[in-house]
Amino acid sequence: MRAWFDTEGVPPADRLAALDELFLGSDHPMGVRSPDAAGFRASIRAADLAAVNVVDMAVSSSEVLRTARMVRQADPGLLCVVMGTTGRLVLHQGGREAVLGASDLALYDSSRPFGLRIGADGEQATLIRAHIPTALLGKSAGKLGELTARPLSGRGGFAGLLGHFLTGLSDGFAVHGPNDLARLAVIAEDLLRALVAHHLDADAGLLEEPRQGGLLPRVEAFVQRNLHDPELSPRVIADALHLSVGYLHRLFSDRETTVAAWVRQLRLERARRDLRDTDLRDVPVHQIAERWGFKDHSTFTRSFRAAYGMPPRDYRHGLPTAAS
């Protein structure tokens, strides 16, 4: 797990404000306050496991708040699970309050206001938080209000399995290699989804359909941002998103294409658009090819002809083509 925030090295008078600024700038803004701002301390580590984000924290007695205004400001749609490892936590959302001792878990929804008191007994507390996009929960996402801010014992059942996994992840992450990240990501997602399905008594089939679909938008966004990179490949994409190459290919199994073919088609479409752009008429064809990640002009020309029925130079000059 990577260090994400630490008050060591921050002047004592600025520590609480520094964490508050960090939380307010996150993808689901929150604020933090503490009765002991002068003595405030916090240390936070984080790990991204594909769709699941995990953090562990050691924090002075404090309260994290997400108001209705913050929800309106930004909401990525996340289901979060929080588990105390030392100290006492109190989570409130939707008119309910969950008091959590060590190993107890509770869920909260980023799409609604919530509050979390950390170290409710006035002492520093340690905790682990994981979140997953609610889009991965299928139809069960609409029933999350039934589960949030309810204490779940981490001493058995799916809550126990998830708690044991998260604790082990936090304590022993250093023993895992880069190739293990994809495996850990699948386990984390499965356990979170299973916990929700179990407590909602949901049909497991309702959770299966979005399993792969939830990752595809991340894959698509990464590829769109990196189309210009000639080294973009299934391996690069998989490594960036902590997936195995095999799992990445399985995500595309229903699209009747391969990852490499899909990337090539996106590049060709961008190049085709630029070739018809009058503002780019003076840009040489080979530069447009390079702009969209083609390593050499001959490969680009062959691919373009195969896709659109004519060489790119002829296409630029407006000769008839079905693709135009």
Side-chain angles (χ1 to χ4, degrees):
M1 301 184 79
R2 69 184 186 279
W4 190 52
F5 177 84
D6 199 316
T7 53
E8 291 299 321
V10 179
D14 298 333
R15 290 172 176 174
L16 181 60
L19 183 59
D20 185 55
E21 182 180 359
L22 184 67
F23 279 3
L24 288 173
S26 71
D27 58 356
H28 58 304
M30 301 170 286
V32 60
R33 62 193 186 192
S34 173
D36 183 19
F40 184 79
R41 293 179 178 273
S43 175
I44 305 176
R45 299 184 304 161
D48 287 315
L49 301 176
V52 179
N53 172 266
V54 181
V55 300
D56 67 7
M57 298 183 270
V59 187
S60 296
S61 179
S62 54
E63 185 169 19
V64 176
L65 293 171
R66 179 160 163 80
T67 65
R69 181 178 180 180
M70 293 172 181
V71 173
R72 291 192 298 270
Q73 177 184 341
D75 180 37
L78 301 171
L79 173 68
C80 308
V81 58
V82 61
M83 178 182 73
T85 51
T86 64
R88 193 159 62 99
L89 308 178
V90 180
L91 171 69
H92 55 87
Q93 185 172 59
R96 288 194 297 268
E97 181 176 271
V99 179
L100 308 178
S103 300
D104 291 334
L105 288 76
L107 304 173
Y108 63 90
D109 183 354
S110 75
S111 299
R112 293 184 296 147
F114 70 85
L116 176 66
R117 293 204 303 275
I118 301 171
D121 49 9
E123 302 294 329
Q124 175 176 286
T126 59
L127 62 143
I128 302 174
R129 191 273 293 143
H131 67 58
I132 184 173
T134 54
L136 291 179
L137 302 176
K139 295 179 180 179
S140 294
K143 301 180 180 180
L144 290 180
E146 301 175 20
L147 290 183
T148 53
R150 294 188 182 278
L152 305 173
S153 173
R155 295 168 180 80
F158 283 106
L161 287 172
L162 177 60
H164 182 73
F165 172 79
L166 292 175
T167 302
L169 192 68
S170 175
D171 292 342
F173 201 89
V175 305
H176 301 295
N179 293 333
D180 294 322
L181 291 177
R183 303 180 185 99
L184 293 169
V186 171
I187 294 170
E189 182 180 329
D190 281 347
L191 286 174
L192 281 164
R193 287 155 47 85
L195 177 69
V196 171
H198 171 73
H199 286 282
L200 289 177
D201 195 25
D203 180 352
L206 295 179
L207 298 180
E208 279 305 309
E209 183 177 351
R211 156 178 266 289
Q212 294 181 348
L215 280 175
L216 278 172
R218 292 189 176 210
V219 173
E220 292 170 349
F222 178 81
V223 169
Q224 297 281 5
R225 292 195 304 268
N226 293 277
L227 273 177
H228 64 280
D229 184 356
E231 301 304 322
L232 186 66
S233 67
R235 168 59 67 185
V236 170
I237 298 167
D239 287 348
L241 298 174
H242 304 310
L243 306 172
S244 69
V245 175
Y247 187 70
L248 176 65
H249 285 306
R250 287 197 296 276
L251 291 176
F252 281 76
S253 59
D254 294 333
R255 292 195 168 192
E256 299 182 352
T257 188
T258 65
V259 179
W262 174 66
V263 171
R264 183 172 60 251
Q265 185 58 41
L266 287 177
R267 286 173 165 163
L268 288 170
E269 281 295 315
R270 299 299 187 279
R272 183 171 78 96
R273 181 192 63 192
D274 286 358
L275 288 169
R276 280 293 173 88
D277 189 335
T278 55
D279 291 337
L280 300 177
R281 185 56 57 92
D282 294 331
V283 178
V285 172
H286 75 272
Q287 288 187 12
I288 288 177
E290 291 172 359
R291 177 183 185 183
W292 294 113
F294 287 95
K295 292 183 178 181
D296 64 86
H297 184 63
S298 60
T299 299
F300 169 66
T301 299
R302 287 195 302 271
S303 299
F304 194 95
R305 182 195 292 270
Y308 303 114
M310 63 173 57
R313 292 184 186 279
D314 291 348
Y315 185 88
R316 163 172 270 181
H317 294 303
L319 296 182
T321 170
S324 63

